[in-house]
PDB file of all heavy atoms in Angstrom:
ATOM      1  N   VAL A   1       0.877  -1.213  -0.018  1.00 92.00           N
ATOM      2  CA  VAL A   1      -0.049  -0.039   0.018  1.00 92.00           C
ATOM      3  C   VAL A   1       0.949   1.215  -0.014  1.00 92.00           C
ATOM      4  O   VAL A   1       1.737   1.393   0.872  1.00 92.00           O
ATOM      5  CB  VAL A   1      -0.949  -0.027   1.201  1.00 92.00           C
ATOM      6  CG1 VAL A   1      -1.801   1.292   1.269  1.00 92.00           C
ATOM      7  CG2 VAL A   1      -1.790  -1.228   1.275  1.00 92.00           C
ATOM      8  N   TYR A   2       0.694   2.159  -1.024  1.00 95.00           N
ATOM      9  CA  TYR A   2       1.548   3.407  -1.102  1.00 95.00           C
ATOM     10  C   TYR A   2       0.725   4.502  -0.834  1.00 95.00           C
ATOM     11  O   TYR A   2      -0.470   4.453  -0.844  1.00 95.00           O
ATOM     12  CB  TYR A   2       2.077   3.386  -2.496  1.00 95.00           C
ATOM     13  CG  TYR A   2       2.710   2.189  -3.008  1.00 95.00           C
ATOM     14  CD1 TYR A   2       2.223   1.265  -4.028  1.00 95.00           C
ATOM     15  CD2 TYR A   2       3.948   1.811  -2.430  1.00 95.00           C
ATOM     16  CE1 TYR A   2       2.839   0.124  -4.370  1.00 95.00           C
ATOM     17  CE2 TYR A   2       4.643   0.631  -2.815  1.00 95.00           C
ATOM     18  CZ  TYR A   2       4.137  -0.221  -3.837  1.00 95.00           C
ATOM     19  OH  TYR A   2       4.691  -1.348  -4.170  1.00 95.00           O
ATOM     20  N   GLY A   3       1.350   5.553  -0.444  1.00 95.00           N
ATOM     21  CA  GLY A   3       0.744   6.902  -0.228  1.00 95.00           C
ATOM     22  C   GLY A   3       0.380   7.513  -1.612  1.00 95.00           C
ATOM     23  O   GLY A   3       0.518   6.898  -2.616  1.00 95.00           O
ATOM     24  N   LYS A   4      -0.092   8.748  -1.529  1.00 96.00           N
ATOM     25  CA  LYS A   4      -0.473   9.402  -2.765  1.00 96.00           C
ATOM     26  C   LYS A   4       0.590   9.563  -3.748  1.00 96.00           C
ATOM     27  O   LYS A   4       0.381   9.137  -4.971  1.00 96.00           O
ATOM     28  CB  LYS A   4      -0.891  10.887  -2.352  1.00 96.00           C
ATOM     29  CG  LYS A   4      -1.263  11.743  -3.459  1.00 96.00           C
ATOM     30  CD  LYS A   4      -1.663  13.142  -3.015  1.00 96.00           C
ATOM     31  CE  LYS A   4      -1.922  14.057  -4.160  1.00 96.00           C
ATOM     32  NZ  LYS A   4      -2.351  15.434  -3.684  1.00 96.00           N
ATOM     33  N   TYR A   5       1.772   9.938  -3.411  1.00 96.00           N
ATOM     34  CA  TYR A   5       2.852  10.229  -4.384  1.00 96.00           C
ATOM     35  C   TYR A   5       3.478   8.852  -4.828  1.00 96.00           C
ATOM     36  O   TYR A   5       3.945   8.724  -5.948  1.00 96.00           O
ATOM     37  CB  TYR A   5       3.907  11.204  -3.825  1.00 96.00           C
ATOM     38  CG  TYR A   5       3.280  12.357  -3.560  1.00 96.00           C
ATOM     39  CD1 TYR A   5       3.015  12.867  -2.172  1.00 96.00           C
ATOM     40  CD2 TYR A   5       2.908  13.264  -4.498  1.00 96.00           C
ATOM     41  CE1 TYR A   5       2.476  14.051  -1.946  1.00 96.00           C
ATOM     42  CE2 TYR A   5       2.207  14.529  -4.296  1.00 96.00           C
ATOM     43  CZ  TYR A   5       2.012  14.838  -3.016  1.00 96.00           C
ATOM     44  OH  TYR A   5       1.423  16.063  -2.684  1.00 96.00           O
ATOM     45  N   GLY A   6       3.573   7.811  -3.996  1.00 96.00           N
ATOM     46  CA  GLY A   6       4.032   6.488  -4.391  1.00 96.00           C
ATOM     47  C   GLY A   6       3.031   5.901  -5.446  1.00 96.00           C
ATOM     48  O   GLY A   6       3.519   5.247  -6.420  1.00 96.00           O
ATOM     49  N   THR A   7       1.764   6.005  -5.166  1.00 96.00           N
ATOM     50  CA  THR A   7       0.775   5.600  -6.133  1.00 96.00           C
ATOM     51  C   THR A   7       0.846   6.317  -7.475  1.00 96.00           C
ATOM     52  O   THR A   7       0.820   5.713  -8.618  1.00 96.00           O
ATOM     53  CB  THR A   7      -0.612   5.739  -5.609  1.00 96.00           C
ATOM     54  OG1 THR A   7      -0.706   5.059  -4.294  1.00 96.00           O
ATOM     55  CG2 THR A   7      -1.657   5.154  -6.485  1.00 96.00           C
ATOM     56  N   LEU A   8       1.037   7.700  -7.506  1.00 96.00           N
ATOM     57  CA  LEU A   8       1.123   8.474  -8.645  1.00 96.00           C
ATOM     58  C   LEU A   8       2.390   7.996  -9.353  1.00 96.00           C
ATOM     59  O   LEU A   8       2.320   7.804 -10.645  1.00 96.00           O
ATOM     60  CB  LEU A   8       1.150   9.954  -8.326  1.00 96.00           C
ATOM     61  CG  LEU A   8      -0.113  10.567  -7.908  1.00 96.00           C
ATOM     62  CD1 LEU A   8       0.135  11.994  -7.474  1.00 96.00           C
ATOM     63  CD2 LEU A   8      -1.149  10.567  -9.056  1.00 96.00           C
ATOM     64  N   ALA A   9       3.496   7.728  -8.727  1.00 96.00           N
ATOM     65  CA  ALA A   9       4.825   7.380  -9.355  1.00 96.00           C
ATOM     66  C   ALA A   9       4.582   5.960  -9.946  1.00 96.00           C
ATOM     67  O   ALA A   9       5.053   5.669 -11.082  1.00 96.00           O
ATOM     68  CB  ALA A   9       5.823   7.310  -8.261  1.00 96.00           C
ATOM     69  N   LYS A  10       3.846   5.084  -9.281  1.00 96.00           N
ATOM     70  CA  LYS A  10       3.618   3.778  -9.794  1.00 96.00           C
ATOM     71  C   LYS A  10       2.826   3.793 -11.038  1.00 96.00           C
ATOM     72  O   LYS A  10       3.183   3.134 -12.067  1.00 96.00           O
ATOM     73  CB  LYS A  10       2.724   2.929  -8.710  1.00 96.00           C
ATOM     74  CG  LYS A  10       2.481   1.509  -9.118  1.00 96.00           C
ATOM     75  CD  LYS A  10       1.756   0.836  -7.925  1.00 96.00           C
ATOM     76  CE  LYS A  10       1.575  -0.667  -8.264  1.00 96.00           C
ATOM     77  NZ  LYS A  10       0.311  -0.929  -8.930  1.00 96.00           N
ATOM     78  N   ILE A  11       1.830   4.642 -11.135  1.00 96.00           N
ATOM     79  CA  ILE A  11       0.964   4.664 -12.331  1.00 96.00           C
ATOM     80  C   ILE A  11       1.765   5.180 -13.398  1.00 96.00           C
ATOM     81  O   ILE A  11       1.770   4.832 -14.575  1.00 96.00           O
ATOM     82  CB  ILE A  11      -0.248   5.566 -12.055  1.00 96.00           C
ATOM     83  CG1 ILE A  11      -1.213   4.836 -11.179  1.00 96.00           C
ATOM     84  CG2 ILE A  11      -0.940   5.959 -13.389  1.00 96.00           C
ATOM     85  CD1 ILE A  11      -2.324   5.750 -10.484  1.00 96.00           C
ATOM     86  N   TYR A  12       2.566   6.272 -13.200  1.00 96.00           N
ATOM     87  CA  TYR A  12       3.444   6.964 -14.203  1.00 96.00           C
ATOM     88  C   TYR A  12       4.474   5.995 -14.737  1.00 96.00           C
ATOM     89  O   TYR A  12       4.584   5.909 -15.973  1.00 96.00           O
ATOM     90  CB  TYR A  12       4.039   8.243 -13.699  1.00 96.00           C
ATOM     91  CG  TYR A  12       5.029   8.852 -14.671  1.00 96.00           C
ATOM     92  CD1 TYR A  12       4.540   9.453 -15.739  1.00 96.00           C
ATOM     93  CD2 TYR A  12       6.477   8.627 -14.431  1.00 96.00           C
ATOM     94  CE1 TYR A  12       5.485  10.029 -16.556  1.00 96.00           C
ATOM     95  CE2 TYR A  12       7.402   9.220 -15.312  1.00 96.00           C
ATOM     96  CZ  TYR A  12       6.860   9.962 -16.426  1.00 96.00           C
ATOM     97  OH  TYR A  12       7.733  10.406 -17.249  1.00 96.00           O
ATOM     98  N   LEU A  13       5.105   5.245 -13.786  1.00 96.00           N
ATOM     99  CA  LEU A  13       6.238   4.365 -14.303  1.00 96.00           C
ATOM    100  C   LEU A  13       5.593   3.207 -15.085  1.00 96.00           C
ATOM    101  O   LEU A  13       6.184   2.772 -16.099  1.00 96.00           O
ATOM    102  CB  LEU A  13       6.900   3.763 -12.988  1.00 96.00           C
ATOM    103  CG  LEU A  13       7.826   4.807 -12.387  1.00 96.00           C
ATOM    104  CD1 LEU A  13       8.408   4.154 -11.100  1.00 96.00           C
ATOM    105  CD2 LEU A  13       9.057   5.299 -13.290  1.00 96.00           C
ATOM    106  N   GLU A  14       4.504   2.611 -14.637  1.00 94.00           N
ATOM    107  CA  GLU A  14       3.905   1.572 -15.322  1.00 94.00           C
ATOM    108  C   GLU A  14       3.342   1.863 -16.605  1.00 94.00           C
ATOM    109  O   GLU A  14       3.281   1.021 -17.583  1.00 94.00           O
ATOM    110  CB  GLU A  14       2.911   0.802 -14.440  1.00 94.00           C
ATOM    111  CG  GLU A  14       3.545   0.074 -13.308  1.00 94.00           C
ATOM    112  CD  GLU A  14       2.632  -0.547 -12.351  1.00 94.00           C
ATOM    113  OE1 GLU A  14       1.400  -0.320 -12.557  1.00 94.00           O
ATOM    114  OE2 GLU A  14       3.083  -1.162 -11.302  1.00 94.00           O
ATOM    115  N   GLU A  15       2.927   3.130 -16.892  1.00 95.00           N
ATOM    116  CA  GLU A  15       2.436   3.572 -18.120  1.00 95.00           C
ATOM    117  C   GLU A  15       3.472   4.143 -19.077  1.00 95.00           C
ATOM    118  O   GLU A  15       3.269   3.998 -20.327  1.00 95.00           O
ATOM    119  CB  GLU A  15       1.368   4.572 -17.939  1.00 95.00           C
ATOM    120  CG  GLU A  15      -0.023   4.038 -17.301  1.00 95.00           C
ATOM    121  CD  GLU A  15      -1.003   5.105 -17.047  1.00 95.00           C
ATOM    122  OE1 GLU A  15      -0.667   6.363 -17.322  1.00 95.00           O
ATOM    123  OE2 GLU A  15      -2.147   4.741 -16.585  1.00 95.00           O
ATOM    124  N   ASN A  16       4.452   4.718 -18.572  1.00 95.00           N
ATOM    125  CA  ASN A  16       5.426   5.437 -19.380  1.00 95.00           C
ATOM    126  C   ASN A  16       6.897   5.012 -19.247  1.00 95.00           C
ATOM    127  O   ASN A  16       7.685   5.208 -20.277  1.00 95.00           O
ATOM    128  CB  ASN A  16       5.334   6.978 -19.128  1.00 95.00           C
ATOM    129  CG  ASN A  16       3.997   7.493 -19.278  1.00 95.00           C
ATOM    130  OD1 ASN A  16       3.527   7.509 -20.378  1.00 95.00           O
ATOM    131  ND2 ASN A  16       3.341   8.042 -18.214  1.00 95.00           N
ATOM    132  N   ARG A  17       7.255   4.327 -18.251  1.00 94.00           N
ATOM    133  CA  ARG A  17       8.711   4.035 -18.055  1.00 94.00           C
ATOM    134  C   ARG A  17       8.761   2.518 -17.532  1.00 94.00           C
ATOM    135  O   ARG A  17       9.520   2.309 -16.608  1.00 94.00           O
ATOM    136  CB  ARG A  17       9.297   4.897 -16.946  1.00 94.00           C
ATOM    137  CG  ARG A  17       9.258   6.483 -17.201  1.00 94.00           C
ATOM    138  CD  ARG A  17      10.289   7.037 -18.143  1.00 94.00           C
ATOM    139  NE  ARG A  17      11.656   6.561 -17.779  1.00 94.00           N
ATOM    140  CZ  ARG A  17      12.331   7.213 -17.022  1.00 94.00           C
ATOM    141  NH1 ARG A  17      11.982   8.222 -16.307  1.00 94.00           N
ATOM    142  NH2 ARG A  17      13.553   6.731 -16.742  1.00 94.00           N
ATOM    143  N   TRP A  18       8.204   1.678 -18.319  1.00 92.00           N
ATOM    144  CA  TRP A  18       8.124   0.320 -17.893  1.00 92.00           C
ATOM    145  C   TRP A  18       9.518  -0.276 -17.692  1.00 92.00           C
ATOM    146  O   TRP A  18       9.764  -1.273 -17.056  1.00 92.00           O
ATOM    147  CB  TRP A  18       7.285  -0.552 -18.928  1.00 92.00           C
ATOM    148  CG  TRP A  18       7.752  -0.465 -20.309  1.00 92.00           C
ATOM    149  CD1 TRP A  18       7.363   0.459 -21.234  1.00 92.00           C
ATOM    150  CD2 TRP A  18       8.779  -1.207 -20.898  1.00 92.00           C
ATOM    151  NE1 TRP A  18       8.010   0.306 -22.384  1.00 92.00           N
ATOM    152  CE2 TRP A  18       8.915  -0.776 -22.229  1.00 92.00           C
ATOM    153  CE3 TRP A  18       9.583  -2.243 -20.523  1.00 92.00           C
ATOM    154  CZ2 TRP A  18       9.808  -1.357 -23.128  1.00 92.00           C
ATOM    155  CZ3 TRP A  18      10.554  -2.813 -21.429  1.00 92.00           C
ATOM    156  CH2 TRP A  18      10.573  -2.283 -22.669  1.00 92.00           C
ATOM    157  N   GLU A  19      10.568   0.338 -18.514  1.00 94.00           N
ATOM    158  CA  GLU A  19      11.912  -0.274 -18.497  1.00 94.00           C
ATOM    159  C   GLU A  19      12.496   0.002 -17.198  1.00 94.00           C
ATOM    160  O   GLU A  19      13.290  -0.798 -16.645  1.00 94.00           O
ATOM    161  CB  GLU A  19      12.747   0.252 -19.577  1.00 94.00           C
ATOM    162  CG  GLU A  19      13.060   1.793 -19.555  1.00 94.00           C
ATOM    163  CD  GLU A  19      11.858   2.716 -20.091  1.00 94.00           C
ATOM    164  OE1 GLU A  19      10.883   2.136 -20.584  1.00 94.00           O
ATOM    165  OE2 GLU A  19      12.024   3.913 -19.930  1.00 94.00           O
ATOM    166  N   LYS A  20      12.168   1.169 -16.529  1.00 93.00           N
ATOM    167  CA  LYS A  20      12.620   1.469 -15.185  1.00 93.00           C
ATOM    168  C   LYS A  20      12.056   0.495 -14.116  1.00 93.00           C
ATOM    169  O   LYS A  20      12.719  -0.023 -13.235  1.00 93.00           O
ATOM    170  CB  LYS A  20      12.248   2.794 -14.771  1.00 93.00           C
ATOM    171  CG  LYS A  20      12.861   3.274 -13.530  1.00 93.00           C
ATOM    172  CD  LYS A  20      12.838   4.778 -13.229  1.00 93.00           C
ATOM    173  CE  LYS A  20      13.466   5.169 -11.988  1.00 93.00           C
ATOM    174  NZ  LYS A  20      13.460   6.696 -11.782  1.00 93.00           N
ATOM    175  N   VAL A  21      10.761   0.129 -14.223  1.00 92.00           N
ATOM    176  CA  VAL A  21      10.047  -0.803 -13.381  1.00 92.00           C
ATOM    177  C   VAL A  21      10.854  -2.219 -13.559  1.00 92.00           C
ATOM    178  O   VAL A  21      11.200  -2.839 -12.492  1.00 92.00           O
ATOM    179  CB  VAL A  21       8.553  -1.044 -13.852  1.00 92.00           C
ATOM    180  CG1 VAL A  21       7.989  -2.085 -12.949  1.00 92.00           C
ATOM    181  CG2 VAL A  21       7.923   0.288 -13.505  1.00 92.00           C
ATOM    182  N   ALA A  22      11.127  -2.620 -14.789  1.00 92.00           N
ATOM    183  CA  ALA A  22      11.872  -3.774 -14.939  1.00 92.00           C
ATOM    184  C   ALA A  22      13.255  -3.876 -14.408  1.00 92.00           C
ATOM    185  O   ALA A  22      13.705  -4.758 -13.763  1.00 92.00           O
ATOM    186  CB  ALA A  22      11.928  -4.174 -16.450  1.00 92.00           C
ATOM    187  N   ALA A  23      13.881  -2.680 -14.477  1.00 93.00           N
ATOM    188  CA  ALA A  23      15.310  -2.521 -13.917  1.00 93.00           C
ATOM    189  C   ALA A  23      15.293  -2.640 -12.400  1.00 93.00           C
ATOM    190  O   ALA A  23      16.173  -3.115 -11.754  1.00 93.00           O
ATOM    191  CB  ALA A  23      15.994  -1.244 -14.424  1.00 93.00           C
ATOM    192  N   LEU A  24      14.172  -2.022 -11.815  1.00 92.00           N
ATOM    193  CA  LEU A  24      14.219  -2.050 -10.345  1.00 92.00           C
ATOM    194  C   LEU A  24      13.818  -3.440  -9.794  1.00 92.00           C
ATOM    195  O   LEU A  24      14.308  -3.768  -8.723  1.00 92.00           O
ATOM    196  CB  LEU A  24      13.037  -1.111  -9.827  1.00 92.00           C
ATOM    197  CG  LEU A  24      13.438   0.406  -9.972  1.00 92.00           C
ATOM    198  CD1 LEU A  24      12.145   1.166  -9.821  1.00 92.00           C
ATOM    199  CD2 LEU A  24      14.475   0.652  -8.951  1.00 92.00           C
ATOM    200  N   GLY A  25      13.230  -4.295 -10.446  1.00 89.00           N
ATOM    201  CA  GLY A  25      12.826  -5.695 -10.109  1.00 89.00           C
ATOM    202  C   GLY A  25      12.155  -5.781  -8.755  1.00 89.00           C
ATOM    203  O   GLY A  25      11.186  -5.118  -8.372  1.00 89.00           O
ATOM    204  N   LYS A  26      12.892  -6.499  -7.840  1.00 87.00           N
ATOM    205  CA  LYS A  26      12.330  -6.694  -6.462  1.00 87.00           C
ATOM    206  C   LYS A  26      12.367  -5.466  -5.697  1.00 87.00           C
ATOM    207  O   LYS A  26      11.758  -5.322  -4.670  1.00 87.00           O
ATOM    208  CB  LYS A  26      13.021  -7.861  -5.755  1.00 87.00           C
ATOM    209  CG  LYS A  26      12.837  -9.226  -6.353  1.00 87.00           C
ATOM    210  CD  LYS A  26      13.475 -10.299  -5.622  1.00 87.00           C
ATOM    211  CE  LYS A  26      13.043 -11.608  -6.140  1.00 87.00           C
ATOM    212  NZ  LYS A  26      13.758 -12.715  -5.336  1.00 87.00           N
ATOM    213  N   ASP A  27      13.199  -4.460  -6.041  1.00 92.00           N
ATOM    214  CA  ASP A  27      13.334  -3.269  -5.271  1.00 92.00           C
ATOM    215  C   ASP A  27      12.196  -2.207  -5.567  1.00 92.00           C
ATOM    216  O   ASP A  27      12.207  -1.071  -4.999  1.00 92.00           O
ATOM    217  CB  ASP A  27      14.674  -2.606  -5.622  1.00 92.00           C
ATOM    218  CG  ASP A  27      15.848  -3.436  -5.054  1.00 92.00           C
ATOM    219  OD1 ASP A  27      15.637  -4.183  -4.160  1.00 92.00           O
ATOM    220  OD2 ASP A  27      16.885  -3.338  -5.685  1.00 92.00           O
ATOM    221  N   TYR A  28      11.386  -2.469  -6.469  1.00 94.00           N
ATOM    222  CA  TYR A  28      10.260  -1.652  -6.931  1.00 94.00           C
ATOM    223  C   TYR A  28       9.311  -1.146  -5.815  1.00 94.00           C
ATOM    224  O   TYR A  28       9.273   0.089  -5.647  1.00 94.00           O
ATOM    225  CB  TYR A  28       9.475  -2.361  -8.054  1.00 94.00           C
ATOM    226  CG  TYR A  28       8.337  -1.484  -8.665  1.00 94.00           C
ATOM    227  CD1 TYR A  28       8.721  -0.148  -9.167  1.00 94.00           C
ATOM    228  CD2 TYR A  28       7.113  -1.973  -8.822  1.00 94.00           C
ATOM    229  CE1 TYR A  28       7.654   0.511  -9.857  1.00 94.00           C
ATOM    230  CE2 TYR A  28       6.140  -1.198  -9.532  1.00 94.00           C
ATOM    231  CZ  TYR A  28       6.495  -0.002  -9.929  1.00 94.00           C
ATOM    232  OH  TYR A  28       5.430   0.835 -10.518  1.00 94.00           O
ATOM    233  N   PRO A  29       8.836  -2.063  -4.939  1.00 95.00           N
ATOM    234  CA  PRO A  29       7.980  -1.565  -3.832  1.00 95.00           C
ATOM    235  C   PRO A  29       8.687  -0.643  -2.844  1.00 95.00           C
ATOM    236  O   PRO A  29       8.226   0.338  -2.378  1.00 95.00           O
ATOM    237  CB  PRO A  29       7.593  -2.892  -3.094  1.00 95.00           C
ATOM    238  CG  PRO A  29       7.721  -4.013  -4.108  1.00 95.00           C
ATOM    239  CD  PRO A  29       8.854  -3.523  -5.002  1.00 95.00           C
ATOM    240  N   GLU A  30      10.042  -1.018  -2.597  1.00 95.00           N
ATOM    241  CA  GLU A  30      10.765  -0.138  -1.686  1.00 95.00           C
ATOM    242  C   GLU A  30      11.113   1.219  -2.281  1.00 95.00           C
ATOM    243  O   GLU A  30      11.106   2.192  -1.606  1.00 95.00           O
ATOM    244  CB  GLU A  30      12.103  -0.910  -1.312  1.00 95.00           C
ATOM    245  CG  GLU A  30      13.030   0.035  -0.212  1.00 95.00           C
ATOM    246  CD  GLU A  30      12.204   0.248   1.018  1.00 95.00           C
ATOM    247  OE1 GLU A  30      11.563  -0.625   1.496  1.00 95.00           O
ATOM    248  OE2 GLU A  30      12.490   1.326   1.500  1.00 95.00           O
ATOM    249  N   TYR A  31      11.320   1.217  -3.594  1.00 96.00           N
ATOM    250  CA  TYR A  31      11.458   2.549  -4.392  1.00 96.00           C
ATOM    251  C   TYR A  31      10.341   3.399  -4.212  1.00 96.00           C
ATOM    252  O   TYR A  31      10.343   4.584  -3.935  1.00 96.00           O
ATOM    253  CB  TYR A  31      11.762   2.153  -5.808  1.00 96.00           C
ATOM    254  CG  TYR A  31      11.778   3.464  -6.765  1.00 96.00           C
ATOM    255  CD1 TYR A  31      12.841   4.230  -6.673  1.00 96.00           C
ATOM    256  CD2 TYR A  31      10.754   3.783  -7.552  1.00 96.00           C
ATOM    257  CE1 TYR A  31      12.984   5.349  -7.506  1.00 96.00           C
ATOM    258  CE2 TYR A  31      10.726   4.847  -8.358  1.00 96.00           C
ATOM    259  CZ  TYR A  31      11.830   5.701  -8.317  1.00 96.00           C
ATOM    260  OH  TYR A  31      11.903   6.772  -9.089  1.00 96.00           O
TER     261      TYR A  31
END
């Protein structure tokens, strides 16, 4: 469960920067 800005970042990354999500891997939730 993320806060407002973590959720906004999640949406943005998954829609526009999927390569960064893949690079973060297991560290994605902590990021």
Side-chain angles (χ1 to χ4, degrees):
V1 179
Y2 307 108
K4 176 182 180 179
Y5 299 107
T7 302
L8 289 172
K10 180 178 186 272
I11 292 167
Y12 174 75
L13 290 172
E14 289 175 357
E15 289 178 357
N16 300 299
R17 304 278 312 274
W18 57 268
E19 65 280 353
K20 187 170 184 174
V21 174
L24 287 167
K26 289 183 177 181
D27 296 331
Y28 185 51
E30 185 56 40
Y31 173 78

